[in-house]
Structures are given as C-alpha cells and as structure tokens.
Amino acid sequence: MEIIQSIESMQRRSCSLKRSGKRIGMVPTMGYFHEGHLSLMRLARSKADIVVVSNFVNPTQFAPTEDLDKYPRNFERDCHKAETIPVDIMFAPRNEDMYPEDFRTYVEVGEWGKKLCGLSRPAHFRGVTTIVLKLFNIVQPDIAVFGWKDAQQFLILCRMVKDMNLPIEMIGGDIVREPDGLAMSSRNKYLTPEERKDAVILSRSLKEAREMIERGAMEADVLKERIRKMVNGAQYGRLDYVEIVSRETLEPLSRVQKGESLIALAAYFGEARLIDNIRY
Ligand code: AMP
C-alpha cells in the first residue's frame, strides 16, 4: 500500500490513474479503523480498480467544545488493517496543508445541516461538506463509499454531489455492529465498561421500534416515546434526540412510511455522544 501525504502528489497520482482508464473508489475516514470502516473499503474494492482511503481527523467539523484533541488515532495500526483489504493508497494529508492560515472558503449546507445532529452540532455538517469536497477534488474518485451509520452525513453529501454536479457515484454501506448490537464507532473507546454495557440500549430501542412497526404501530410519536423511555431508562443514557424523518426531505414524518423512513437518534453515555439509526 502506498502512503501519500502531499496534496499535489495525490492529485498527480489520481490524474495519471484516470488517464490510464482506472476507476477510483474512495473511502473518506478519520482513521482509528474498526470493522465498519473495513466493510466500506471492501465495498469500494468490489466496485473500483483502485481504492483510495483518506485518513484525516478534520478539525472544521468539531466545535471548540468537542473532542478533536482526544479523538483516537493510531496510524500504524490503520495501515496494517487497510493492507488486509487490500487498499491501494492511503491519503493522509497534514492539517497545515489542508487548512493553511489563509483558508477562507466553506461549503454551506443550508436547512439540512440544522436538523437532527445539526441541532446540537450547528457547524458540524459545514465542516463535513467542506472537507469532503476538498478530498473529492484531490482524489477525483469515480465512486465514493460512506456508512449509513452517519445517515444524515450520507444524505447531505449525496445532496452536495447532486447540487454541485460532481461526477461521483455515491454508495452507502450498512451499519456494522458489535455482537450485542452496538453500532461500531471510534467513539465507543470513550465508554467505561459500565457505560459500554448500557449503550446497547440504543440498538435495542431501534430494534424494538422496528418490531412495533412490524406489528402495525406506525405513529411516530408512539415509537419515539418508546425509544425515549428505553434510552433514558438506562442508568448512564441521556437521549439527545430521536426523530423519524423522510430520507428524501429530512422532514419529520407523523407516520412511518415504508421504504422512505429514517429513525435516527443520538445519546450521551458519559463523555461519549453516540448515534444510531435504522431505515424502514
Ligand atoms: P469516521 O472515521 O467515523 O469519520 O467514519 C468514516 C466512514 O465510516 C463514514 O462514512 C462512516 O459513516 C463510516 N462508518 C463509521 N462507523 C461505521 C459502522 N459501524 N458501520 C458502517 N460504516 C461506518
């Protein structure tokens, strides 16, 4: 696996790959790989000739009060894991190259960035769209793979690709979970053993909601109340939000619509803010 740090080298490498007719598949990440990241790399591997993974903890998507400084990092271990896929190129740019002092331009997200996670993280998605557009311009992928774990992020990025006419096929990979159901996340590392045990309530409450829907309970208020009770009933859990929205518009639904709905939640367990969702 080739490791590229310089933006210019990456751009030159991508240009020459594309000139020789290769299809580039890209997986943007912030590193500290787990099976969720690796599943996206495998998906990219199955669809492209060359797989590029970016590994960059993006400061502009963290608020000053958030966990940028302690976000877990382990570049060497990431390289070993990526090599098993195999990934062709790991692009790991330097912060000062991505955001030099005179950096000024951001990609504005609009209304969608204010919903769901945007309520408690108002500048987050603007940081995400900005870094992903930069990465797309550097790597020039034909295909980009993101996880449904971050459903709002995926929908906003699909919107950006459409609105900005980027010639990139967007692919969403399913959420990879721990054996007990907890969605894998780099932030699970923040959990104490007690919080870790408790955090399983997130996926359990979503599973319960799915079962209620399958028994005919389509009312959003009823489903949200059940999830709220379950998560807040856990000793260490504090629900940030639960919403049932259309995957098309991100607008709240009063009733679950089969094939169109996203049930998304975020909750604090100690220091960790965790997210999870199901599509129905
Ligand atoms: P991150 O490094 O957390 O920014 O995540 C990089 C990519 O991996 C994003 O597209 C995430 O949605 C995706 N991802 C993170 N966790 C999971 C998971 N448990 N299952 C599937 N994809 C995931």
Side-chain angles (χ1 to χ4, degrees):
M1 184 177 71
E2 205 175 328
I3 297 170
I4 301 183
Q5 215 180 23
S6 130
I7 293 173
E8 292 70 30
S9 306
M10 185 68 241
Q11 231 156 8
R12 268 202 307 275
R13 189 84 173 80
S14 285
C15 282
S16 98
L17 284 164
K18 286 173 85 87
R19 262 199 309 274
S20 59
K22 303 287 190 203
R23 263 170 84 74
I24 300 178
M26 169 171 206
V27 184
T29 80
M30 299 207 298
Y32 208 70
F33 296 156
H34 51 64
E35 211 28 64
H37 296 113
L38 301 184
S39 72
L40 304 184
M41 296 175 203
R42 279 184 209 109
L43 201 50
R45 181 80 278 166
S46 73
K47 290 180 183 290
D49 302 311
I50 297 288
V51 175
V52 180
V53 172
S54 63
N55 189 328
F56 178 68
V57 180
N58 173 39
T60 62
Q61 69 190 68
F62 290 79
T65 52
E66 290 178 353
D67 54 341
L68 173 63
D69 291 337
K70 63 171 187 168
Y71 194 83
R73 295 162 167 90
N74 191 334
F75 188 69
E76 210 171 302
R77 201 183 63 185
D78 285 350
C79 289
H80 289 306
K81 288 192 175 189
E83 258 164 356
T84 65
I85 301 299
V87 166
D88 299 294
I89 300 174
M90 176 91 86
F91 175 52
R94 275 180 294 257
N95 194 32
E96 55 270 34
D97 295 336
M98 290 302 266
Y99 295 109
E101 266 182 22
D102 59 353
F103 184 86
R104 291 289 176 273
T105 310
Y106 289 85
V107 179
E108 284 299 339
V109 178
E111 285 303 304
W112 282 21
K114 300 192 187 114
K115 297 172 186 290
L116 307 177
C117 284
L119 280 174
S120 53
R121 308 187 76 191
H124 172 68
F125 290 107
R126 166 195 202 246
V128 170
T129 47
T130 301
I131 190 65
V132 171
L133 183 61
K134 282 167 69 69
L135 290 167
F136 281 174
N137 285 330
I138 296 164
V139 175
Q140 304 161 59
D142 299 281
I143 298 165
V145 186
F146 293 86
W148 270 106
K149 159 85 192 325
D150 298 87
Q152 185 179 11
Q153 164 175 287
F154 180 57
L155 294 171
I156 285 174
L157 290 172
C158 287
R159 195 73 237 176
M160 176 182 82
V161 163
K162 186 156 186 274
D163 288 347
M164 294 295 116
N165 310 100
L166 305 178
I168 298 171
E169 183 190 343
M170 295 287 280
I171 295 174
D174 285 332
I175 300 179
V176 177
R177 297 176 179 282
E178 299 287 355
D180 67 357
L182 179 69
M184 288 192 183
S185 164
S186 309
R187 289 191 167 100
N188 292 348
K189 186 181 159 57
Y190 301 150
L191 300 167
T192 64
E194 293 76 28
E195 290 161 358
R196 167 65 188 82
K197 253 188 244 151
D198 238 20
V200 70
I201 199 67
L202 299 182
S203 58
R204 241 184 235 157
S205 69
L206 291 168
K207 189 161 170 261
E208 164 91 2
R210 186 187 291 283
E211 286 164 7
M212 287 171 71
I213 293 166
E214 276 157 9
R215 290 197 299 268
M218 301 304 216
E219 288 292 328
D221 285 344
V222 173
L223 295 163
K224 288 195 292 186
E225 188 50 30
R226 181 77 186 117
I227 291 171
R228 213 173 278 132
K229 278 227 171 77
M230 284 180 77
V231 175
N232 287 332
Q235 189 178 355
Y236 299 98
R238 183 164 58 83
L239 192 71
D240 180 13
Y241 73 81
V242 55
E243 282 299 341
I244 302 183
V245 299
S246 153
R247 299 206 291 269
E248 204 52 49
T249 64
L250 280 191
E251 290 297 329
L253 295 170
S254 57
R255 289 176 67 77
V256 169
Q257 309 278 350
K258 199 168 174 136
E260 288 175 31
S261 318
L262 174 74
I263 308 182
L265 57 76
Y268 294 93
F269 284 79
E271 308 233 313
R273 183 177 180 280
L274 306 180
I275 57 173
D276 201 349
N277 69 79
I278 53 170
R279 284 166 281 152
Y280 189 85

